[in-house]
Amino acid sequence: MNKLTDKQVRAAKTGLHGDGSGLFLRVQGDARSWVFIYQREKRRRNMGLGSYPTVSLALAREFASVAREQIARGLDPLDERKRANPPTFEVMALQFVDANAPNWTPNVTERYRSFIAKHLAALNPMTVDKIDTPHIVATLKPLWGTPTGAYVRSAIERILNYATVSGYRAEGPNPARFKGHIALLLPQKQNPTEHHAAMPFADVPAYYKRLLERRTFASRALQFTILMGLRQAETRLLRWREVRDDHIEIEAERYKTRKAFRAPLSAPARVILDAMRAINPDAGPDDLVFPGRDGKSPLSHRIFAQTMDFTGAKDFTVHGFRSSFADWALKQGNALHVVDMCLGHLVGSKVSRAYLRTDMLDERRSIIDAWAEYVAV
């Protein structure tokens, strides 16, 4: 204990200089700072105590003494510091999104950021350690009974879990967990889950002809989505680098299954791509195939629904065209697993997928070509 003197601190060279019982002076060039090093659950932890001379040798010893007392009481000094200075919910939520974005599709990341800004505004200014059941219930009540309410509740639960493992909340039940108290305070009966309203496949060819009458990027993008059996985000965010001669290859980081997905191009789909290339012949690999109004940003996620409203299909959803395609394809006698692969679904168990070495592109091409002939001819 107390091995260093003020003179030694001022004259110390680059490296770590021990004062005893975990307190060290770290010298890096002209910079001098204090660090308290200790072990917690067999892990080495470093806690900065401030820079010298702002924090004197005597004050650093006081800080280290407090940390030792916390350890003696079974506490972790770093966790205690975090709890004493917790961030706001908004800061924690954005950190959670940034940490997970590399493993999410852009669509999921965008959804979380939208929730934080729009639906979690009442929680955002609060520190994460103060958020409890009444605050969560008040936030969820206006949304409860809608699909958005369930998503927002899940988001709150995950963000609070992140805050706990980050050391800003005490260990214990998560107040946003649905099977906890909020299940008693929110309406018990939610609206039944509704499937995406799908246009009967027999009506799709006539509807496709109506789309041909509209000469907008959105109508072309919707036609392409129908022909390819894609999710709308896969079309809206499609870039020229993902377009090949006879198929598109959607990159893994933006595909729902987190695996690259190849989708065969039918002749009508190729015609749409050629038309978009003719409109923008100088487009580079990173440019969008179906750009928004400014030519750089993606089409709005609402634009397809608006296009369907304008073309007399407001009772149906864009996603429902995937069901229309599946119903048609199964009616033609195609195998369910191949139809699922056309839609980019994971097929079989994890073990069986490990042995499946092909994405059956040729088999899927014949189905997509036949669908295009049915819809567009």
Side-chain angles (χ1 to χ4, degrees):
M1 296 283 287
N2 302 339
K3 296 178 181 178
L4 298 175
T5 65
D6 282 315
K7 183 178 179 179
Q8 288 173 325
V9 170
R10 289 193 297 271
K13 304 298 183 182
T14 298
L16 275 178
H17 305 271
D19 186 55
S21 292
L23 178 61
F24 291 85
L25 174 71
R26 175 181 284 139
V27 181
Q28 295 174 305
D30 293 332
R32 285 163 167 72
S33 60
W34 299 105
V35 59
F36 182 71
I37 301 176
Y38 63 101
Q39 278 203 333
R40 183 71 174 175
E41 296 178 352
K42 298 183 179 180
R43 288 190 305 123
R44 171 173 160 152
R45 307 204 73 185
N46 297 355
M47 183 170 72
L49 301 180
S51 60
Y52 178 87
T54 303
V55 176
S56 65
L57 174 58
L59 186 55
R61 286 171 175 167
E62 287 184 27
F63 289 161
S65 177
V66 170
R68 293 187 199 103
E69 290 175 7
Q70 290 172 332
I71 293 171
R73 288 187 283 124
L75 303 175
D76 187 318
L78 273 174
D79 289 348
E80 293 306 302
R81 172 185 285 180
K82 286 181 177 180
R83 292 194 185 106
N85 300 282
T88 64
F89 181 86
E90 182 177 24
V91 168
M92 195 83 265
L94 293 175
Q95 287 181 9
F96 169 75
V97 172
D98 290 342
N100 286 278
N103 300 314
W104 289 346
T105 63
N107 208 32
V108 172
T109 302
E110 180 184 338
R111 182 197 301 163
Y112 265 86
R113 293 192 185 280
S114 175
F115 286 166
I116 294 165
K118 184 176 179 182
H119 299 302
L120 302 177
L123 298 179
N124 283 341
M126 301 178 62
T127 57
V128 288
D129 61 318
K130 300 298 184 185
I131 293 173
D132 211 340
T133 302
H135 310 115
I136 297 168
V137 169
T139 297
L140 292 177
K141 265 189 176 177
L143 306 169
W144 205 244
T146 71
T148 300
Y151 279 124
V152 171
R153 185 212 60 77
S154 175
I156 297 172
E157 180 180 5
R158 297 182 72 188
I159 292 165
L160 292 184
N161 279 340
Y162 185 73
T164 300
V165 299
S166 298
Y168 293 113
R169 286 178 63 89
E171 295 286 345
N174 189 318
R177 185 170 178 264
F178 183 64
K179 292 184 179 179
H181 292 161
I182 64 169
L184 304 175
L185 299 173
L186 289 167
Q188 298 276 324
K189 186 177 181 181
Q190 297 190 55
N191 293 336
T193 301
E194 293 184 6
H195 296 288
H196 296 282
M199 182 179 291
F201 67 79
D203 297 337
V204 175
Y207 178 69
Y208 190 88
K209 288 183 173 62
R210 290 204 297 276
L211 285 176
L212 291 173
E213 298 170 4
R214 293 180 59 83
R215 310 297 294 174
T216 64
F217 285 3
S219 61
R220 284 193 173 103
L222 182 52
Q223 292 168 37
F224 188 79
T225 303
I226 294 171
L227 291 171
M228 301 289 288
L230 298 175
R231 301 172 182 89
Q232 60 165 308
E234 294 158 9
T235 298
R236 289 191 304 105
L237 302 178
L238 183 69
R239 298 186 185 273
W240 284 110
R241 65 172 180 264
E242 297 175 307
V243 177
R244 310 288 188 268
D245 289 337
D246 64 348
H247 68 279
I248 63 171
E249 185 165 342
I250 300 173
E251 296 167 346
E253 56 265 29
R254 75 177 190 88
Y255 201 68
K256 187 172 183 179
T257 62
R258 310 309 289 166
K259 296 180 181 296
F261 176 68
R262 297 196 301 170
L265 285 166
S266 61
R270 183 77 253 183
V271 168
I272 293 172
L273 293 180
D274 290 343
M276 295 306 298
R277 174 60 81 180
I279 292 170
N280 190 8
D282 298 325
D286 293 333
D287 289 328
L288 293 160
V289 175
F290 301 100
R293 289 182 179 179
D294 63 1
K296 297 293 183 182
S297 303
L299 291 166
S300 164
H301 67 280
R302 299 184 184 89
I303 195 68
F304 285 177
Q306 292 170 357
T307 299
M308 292 180 70
D309 286 348
F310 292 145
T311 50
K314 65 180 181 180
D315 294 333
F316 304 106
T317 65
V318 180
H319 199 89
F321 285 115
R322 287 165 58 84
S323 295
S324 306
F325 162 75
D327 291 345
W328 171 87
L330 293 173
K331 191 79 171 179
Q332 308 311 304
N334 294 293
L336 175 60
H337 73 281
V338 182
V339 176
D340 275 337
M341 293 180 77
C342 287
L343 295 170
H345 293 160
L346 292 175
V347 175
S349 67
K350 187 175 182 179
V351 173
S352 65
R353 290 197 301 272
Y355 288 96
L356 186 64
R357 301 299 183 184
T358 175
D359 63 0
M360 303 186 74
L361 186 66
D362 291 337
E363 291 86 345
R364 292 189 289 120
R365 187 183 305 282
S366 64
I367 299 175
I368 291 295
D369 284 346
W371 169 246
E373 183 175 353
Y374 172 75
V375 169
V377 176

